[in-house]
Amino acid sequence: MPDYFHGYAVVGLVAVVGVLFVAVAFGANRLLRPVIPTQEKLLTYESGVDPVGEGWAHTQVRFYVYAFLYVIFAVDSVFLFPWATVFAADGFGGTTLVEMFVFLGFLGVGLLYVWKKGVLTWT
């Protein structure tokens, strides 16, 4: 029984050390940083450009569609690695091959849909 809890003790110890490391880093930052607030430091600052005009800006939806499509196909590649390891195991070859073709079929239908809708054309 002691060997069983030894693995949990190691994980718990690593978690505690990680939390302490972050706490010490934040504490050291708070103690060592200079605190001199000025009006210029309290302004909104982004990418080295002074704020001009309103904070509201229009963003086209197509950029979100491209990001969403990227996420979908990135998730596809994440599923390919475990599939390749299971495919190599004994007795799972045919089943995993059929499952992967079904999965790739769904992705293909999604890609065909967005292509037909004209989402993939950059205007």
Side-chain angles (χ1 to χ4, degrees):
M1 194 64 134
D3 291 337
Y4 177 75
F5 290 112
H6 177 70
Y8 288 112
V10 170
V11 170
L13 182 63
V14 168
V16 167
V17 168
V19 168
L20 285 175
F21 182 74
V22 171
V24 167
F26 276 114
N29 181 28
R30 188 168 183 97
L31 291 174
L32 297 175
R33 70 180 180 192
V35 182
I36 307 170
T38 63
Q39 186 66 21
E40 187 172 309
K41 285 185 179 180
L42 297 176
L43 285 176
T44 305
Y45 179 81
E46 183 176 346
S47 303
V49 179
D50 290 330
V52 176
E54 298 273 330
W56 181 259
H58 295 283
T59 303
Q60 295 187 10
V61 176
R62 71 172 177 233
F63 299 123
Y64 293 108
V65 173
Y66 286 114
F68 186 63
L69 287 173
Y70 170 76
V71 169
I72 288 173
F73 289 105
V75 168
D76 172 36
S77 66
V78 168
F79 281 119
L80 287 175
F81 290 112
W83 171 78
T85 58
V86 170
F87 184 69
D90 294 332
F92 289 103
T95 306
T96 55
L97 187 62
V98 169
E99 289 175 352
M100 185 49 65
F101 277 119
V102 168
F103 180 67
L104 291 175
F106 281 127
L107 287 175
V109 167
L111 184 61
L112 184 65
Y113 174 76
V114 297
W115 180 60
K116 289 287 188 184
K117 286 292 225 181
V119 174
L120 299 178
T121 57
W122 192 270
T123 56

